Amino acid sequence: MTAMIYPTTNPALAEQMVVARGEGPYIFDQQGKRYLEGMAGLWCTALGYGNEEIIETAQRQMRELSFSHMFGGKTHPSAIELADKLAAMVPMTDGRVFLGNSGSDANDTLLKLIRYHAEASGQPQRIKVIAREQGYHGVTMASAALTAIPTNHTHFQLPFEALGVLRTGSAHYYRGAVEGETESNFVKRRATELEALILAEGPDTIAAMIAEPVSGAGGVIVPPDGYFEAIQAVLDRYGIWLWDDEVICGFGRLGADFGANTMEMKPRMMTLAKALSSAYVPVSAAVVQGEIADCINASAAEVGVFGHGYTYSGHPLGCAVASKVIDIYVRDRIFDHAAEVGAYLQSRLREFADHPLVGEVSGIGMIGALELVADRASKRPFEGMKVGQFCAKAAEEKGLIIRPLGGNRIAVCPPLIIENVHVAELADKLLAALNTTLDWVTAEKLM
Ligand SMILES: Cc1ncc(COP(=O)(O)O)c(C=O)c1O
């Protein structure tokens, strides 16, 4: 073992693979074995590995200006270009952009902006935020409190109450519906529950509701038809902002520019990271609607400073790379490509619906998941995470990276640049992994 404390790892299972290099949609381990990166790293390497244009851009930026901060009146061309590009692109009128380094810090920033705005606009009590079960929003103290995944909470003594975090149900119909409930009644119930929560807490104490268009780490949960329409209507009734966490869904993942457009969300705040730079370098953006930024700016000007910013907010390397990546998305029509190949991916994933281990197939565009269950008719789950983990390991042995999530759901989220031939490789290897898992589960009498 090295001296490393590994992130989001069971220490007993650390250092199982040393990834040595990447090329297109493939990675290679130290022994030279090739794997199709069916998870795009951590839902992020949208353009795959080794893109020479991006590498070239990074080199040029580092030669020209390797660092410049943006505190106290300074800025630089790459940051200005990126902020303007993002503002023009997001589904928000007059969006304003704060740059950071990760999805977690961008969500942290937005939570602070909510508080700043609450004070500055004369409603200091309006700081609570509604977050959903199974949501994932990061791991800083504040973003982990928004996250609703038990392993991200255990032992951390997170300040849920101090941060005003409220919880409402997820959009997961397969697991969340009551016996005999239709999808549309499930949606109605979620909207009713949300409204009841708002009324119980006091609408004027709640600033926003955070939601991923499709929940990723919580299980790749695609909301049923009409879900966000119903949620948005409730929020609008009480002047509560929809805070759209696009860290996974942004930049083509669902087959369109932003998940908000696919899901008909009308966000007032957005979080962007991951595919923003196709994960070539760390960069994130917290975006808010102009009137929020104007209120903060006016108040900060009175105080003399807006007291929030990271050393690496707007790091030139991140900005130049993200700007180039966005240019490539637009020039090469990557979002259309993701929609096209994504339709084939979804059709191949749906073929697993009849597999004896599969309870649910979910997905849209270039993201999907299978829930492995002990009994399909009753939806009886397997205990713990062992079965999903076994399946991911079996896939790895066959040269495919997938990700085991809670509830024995296994996720796929390949780079957006893959072609149908890669989808076929993914589907074939996934089937082989499922069959190996079925043999094991049968031998172990787990079903
Ligand atoms: C939806 C969502 N939000 C926020 C984050 C946190 O991003 P980061 O890991 O870059 O801090 C993630 C990470 O997976 C995510 O999926």
Side-chain angles (χ1 to χ4, degrees):
M1 279 286 274
T2 66
M4 192 89 73
I5 297 174
Y6 282 97
T8 311
T9 294
N10 175 349
L13 300 174
E15 300 189 358
Q16 304 235 325
M17 186 196 289
V18 180
V19 180
R21 70 183 187 89
E23 193 181 310
Y26 293 100
I27 57 168
F28 298 80
D29 68 17
Q30 255 184 342
Q31 285 72 44
K33 180 173 167 184
R34 190 178 84 159
Y35 305 83
L36 179 61
E37 218 334 338
M39 268 306 293
L42 286 174
W43 333 79
C44 54
T45 60
L47 294 175
Y49 299 81
N51 183 304
E52 284 301 330
E53 279 186 284
I54 302 172
I55 295 165
E56 215 280 323
T57 299
Q59 284 178 340
R60 197 170 346 108
Q61 180 64 58
M62 287 172 93
R63 282 202 189 93
E64 201 164 282
L65 182 68
S66 57
F67 179 74
S68 177
H69 67 81
M70 301 204 302
F71 284 25
K74 291 197 179 64
T75 188
H76 61 87
S78 296
I80 294 171
E81 185 182 333
L82 177 61
D84 288 349
K85 221 172 251 181
L86 287 175
M89 199 178 174
V90 291
M92 206 190 275
T93 45
D94 193 20
R96 311 283 177 81
V97 180
F98 181 93
L99 296 170
N101 316 291
S102 71
S104 300
D105 76 44
N107 276 331
D108 228 303
T109 290
L110 286 173
L111 203 60
K112 286 182 77 180
L113 294 192
I114 280 173
R115 289 172 165 242
Y116 202 103
H117 177 271
E119 283 232 350
S121 64
Q123 34 183 352
Q125 81 294 346
R126 195 161 198 149
I127 56 168
K128 292 181 194 165
V129 173
I130 301 168
R132 297 182 302 170
E133 298 292 350
Q134 288 166 278
Y136 185 88
H137 304 292
V139 294
T140 55
M141 287 297 272
S143 63
L146 296 170
T147 289
I149 294 184
T151 49
N152 300 114
H153 293 168
T154 308
H155 300 319
F156 289 115
Q157 302 193 26
L158 297 171
F160 299 102
E161 211 171 312
L163 289 169
V165 175
L166 308 174
R167 205 70 77 190
T168 195
S170 83
H172 197 190
Y173 173 73
Y174 176 75
R175 282 287 169 208
V178 295
E179 186 73 27
E181 193 175 35
T182 62
E183 279 200 349
S184 74
N185 283 341
F186 170 73
V187 165
K188 275 189 206 136
R189 180 163 60 84
R190 283 295 187 240
T192 306
E193 288 164 358
L194 176 65
E195 185 150 22
L197 174 70
I198 291 168
L199 292 172
E201 288 289 330
D204 69 344
T205 66
I206 303 170
M209 171 171 169
I210 185 168
E212 302 156 79
V214 168
S215 297
V220 185
I221 297 160
V222 181
D225 282 351
Y227 170 82
F228 274 111
E229 205 182 323
I231 295 296
Q232 185 89 55
V234 174
L235 299 180
D236 289 350
R237 227 169 359 257
Y238 300 101
I240 296 170
W241 303 330
L242 182 58
W243 170 357
D244 170 22
D245 185 336
E246 293 266 357
V247 170
I248 287 179
C249 299
F251 305 101
R253 181 53 58 191
L254 308 189
D257 49 2
F258 294 103
N261 284 333
T262 306
M263 295 296 159
E264 298 186 36
M265 300 161 77
K266 295 187 179 50
R268 303 283 293 270
M269 322 177 83
M270 291 174 79
T271 324
L272 309 172
K274 295 194 191 273
L276 169 57
S277 65
S278 191
Y280 274 77
V281 291
V283 60
S284 67
V287 188
V288 295
Q289 198 150 47
E291 63 184 83
I292 302 172
D294 284 342
C295 170
I296 292 170
N297 283 343
S299 183
E302 271 171 37
V303 181
V305 68
F306 169 61
H308 174 73
Y310 307 107
T311 298
Y312 298 139
S313 281
H315 191 289
L317 181 59
C319 293
V321 165
S323 228
K324 183 68 186 179
V325 163
I326 292 170
D327 290 348
I328 294 174
Y329 288 150
V330 173
R331 184 197 66 199
D332 296 349
R333 304 179 65 84
I334 295 291
F335 308 151
D336 293 343
H337 178 79
E340 228 177 274
V341 180
Y344 180 54
L345 173 67
Q346 295 307 322
S347 76
R348 293 302 306 266
L349 290 178
R350 292 305 179 281
E351 289 171 9
F352 296 120
D354 294 330
H355 192 279
L357 269 182
V358 175
E360 188 197 18
V361 180
S362 67
I364 179 171
M366 284 288 218
I367 190 168
L370 310 178
E371 180 163 331
L372 309 186
V373 293
D375 181 63
R376 285 153 48 89
S378 66
K379 303 185 189 176
R380 180 162 60 84
F382 288 113
E383 273 175 27
M385 281 185 69
K386 255 192 354 206
V387 176
Q389 283 166 344
F390 183 96
C391 187
K393 199 73 195 158
E396 197 178 292
E397 272 156 24
K398 296 168 203 321
L400 170 68
I401 305 291
I402 55 179
R403 175 127 184 248
L405 303 171
N408 291 294
R409 291 175 77 84
I410 48 173
V412 297
C413 179
L416 303 182
I417 50 154
I418 63 166
E419 302 289 348
N420 286 355
V421 62
H422 301 113
V423 173
E425 179 184 344
L426 186 154
D428 291 349
K429 289 182 170 167
L430 185 51
L431 176 60
L434 282 172
N435 288 338
T436 305
T437 307
L438 181 59
D439 290 345
W440 174 73
V441 159
T442 310
E444 297 286 313
K445 300 191 172 39
L446 297 176
M447 291 184 89

